[in-house]
Structures are given as structure tokens and as C-alpha cells.
Amino acid sequence: MTLLQLMPDDAPGTVLLRTTDAATIAGELAGHGVELNHWPVRGPVAPEDDSDELLDRYRAEVRDLCDRHGFRVVDVARLHPSADPEGAAQAAKARTTFLEEHRHAENEVRFFAHGRGCFYLHLGDKVFATVCEAGDLLSVPAGTRHWFDMGTRPDFAAIRFFEEEDGWVGDFTADPLARSFPSLDELVAPAHRPAAR
């Protein structure tokens, strides 16, 4: 389920808000120009499924979003658990890259068709850890400082939307802040259920 955990940027152990209520999450994010919407999930996504077929499942929604926002490039980012050492190493490298705080020159728009991942949005003096699940469509404004955790065993498929081919390229801030906050695995672990203060 979608989860939001809100923490001060200088006190990662302090939980200001932790909720799975969709309306509360959308409202908290909207106050910062971040949009969280939902599309119906159309079937499971297996590792062997073709990305074009996945895009075809959401053809109407993808076309509508592109028409409304001027996106010209759409692709699928996906990782699935692998017992193969090379596959596991590639997943670890991909995870490490986006665990550092960065921003993009254009809006970052992602639809999770499968699995989950966490966007940590550094908004003002707070960090909004937003765990997205299948069905979530997140739009983060250009220039927003953030990082992304796909977990130690990534398992997700996300449709990505860009205005330009290089829209995914990050401008890294070199701020070590991200290393202080709970990981995706910690956020969703049953033992990690702090009460909001």
C-alpha cells in the first residue's frame, strides 16, 4: 500500500506523520506541487513480460497523459529479483546510483505498474518518504531535490514519461543527507512502525 512518512531533514529519527490514507498523502504532497494519482492495475508483470506489451496495457492512459503534458518519450524501467550474480550486481549498482540526492531539469513522472519503490522528496526543511505501489502515478516538479530507493531486492516496473530523451539524467547535489534516512526496506518492515509524533 502507498505510504507517506514525513521527517525533519535534520532529524531522520523523528516521525512527524506516517500514514497510508490516500487522501491525506495526496493532500500533503499537493501542498508542495507533487501530484499523486492512481490508475487501475492491469494484470501482474512477470520478468519475462515484454515492455511494449506492458505499455500497450496502459495505452489510453499513457496517450492522455502525453497529450495533456507534452511528453514525447515514454519507456519502462524495471528490475526483478535475480539469483544470477551479474543481475544482482546490476540491480545493486542501479540502486546505489539513485540513493544520492539529485534533481531533474524536467518533471519526474512515474507510474508503478508492478512492485514498489520509495521517492524521498526533500521539500523545504522536511523529507517526505513516499512509498509508491502498483497503481500509483507520481509527478514530482522539476528541480525538486529527492532520491529514490528500490530496495535491496528490487522488484518493480514503472512507466516513465519525459519531455526530452535525457530527461532522466540527474543533477546530483553531493549532499550526504540521504544516507541518514531509513531505507525502503526499513520503512516497510513490520518492525519499523514508529508512531507519528
Side-chain angles (χ1 to χ4, degrees), residues 36-177:
L36 178 66
N37 295 297
H38 303 278
W39 289 353
V41 176
R42 298 208 169 93
V45 178
E48 64 274 6
D49 287 350
D50 182 79
S51 292
D52 289 336
E53 189 276 330
L54 177 61
L55 287 169
D56 195 49
R57 289 184 204 175
Y58 297 96
R59 183 184 317 130
E61 290 90 347
V62 167
R63 183 180 300 127
D64 177 65
L65 196 64
C66 288
D67 289 347
R68 285 189 291 119
H69 298 284
F71 296 120
R72 297 184 299 184
V73 180
V74 179
D75 70 9
V76 176
R78 60 192 303 165
L79 283 169
H80 299 281
S82 174
D84 171 49
E86 186 175 321
Q90 287 176 338
K93 181 179 179 186
R95 179 181 186 228
T96 300
T97 298
F98 292 103
L99 277 175
E100 297 297 325
E101 187 182 71
H102 60 282
R103 59 189 151 229
H104 299 282
E106 61 179 63
N107 292 355
E108 181 160 4
V109 182
R110 304 290 183 266
F111 169 67
F112 282 80
H114 169 79
R116 68 176 164 214
C118 186
F119 284 90
Y120 296 79
L121 310 174
H122 189 182
L123 304 168
D125 60 356
K126 296 180 179 62
V127 171
F128 292 65
T130 309
V131 178
C132 294
E133 300 265 349
D136 288 338
L137 172 67
L138 187 71
S139 178
V140 179
T144 301
R145 293 178 297 162
H146 68 284
W147 62 95
F148 178 72
D149 189 3
M150 56 188 76
T152 53
R153 285 185 50 81
D155 188 12
F156 73 94
I159 299 175
R160 308 187 303 174
F161 298 83
F162 305 105
E163 296 167 31
E164 304 293 339
E165 289 281 351
D166 62 354
W168 65 273
V169 176
D171 171 25
F172 289 85
T173 68
D175 189 327
L177 174 83

Side-chain angles (χ1 to χ4, degrees), residues 28-40:
E28 289 287 337
L29 295 174
H32 297 275
V34 179
E35 295 180 28
L36 178 66
N37 295 297
H38 303 278
W39 289 353

Side-chain angles (χ1 to χ4, degrees), residues 22 60 127 183 187:
V127 171
S183 68
L187 285 171

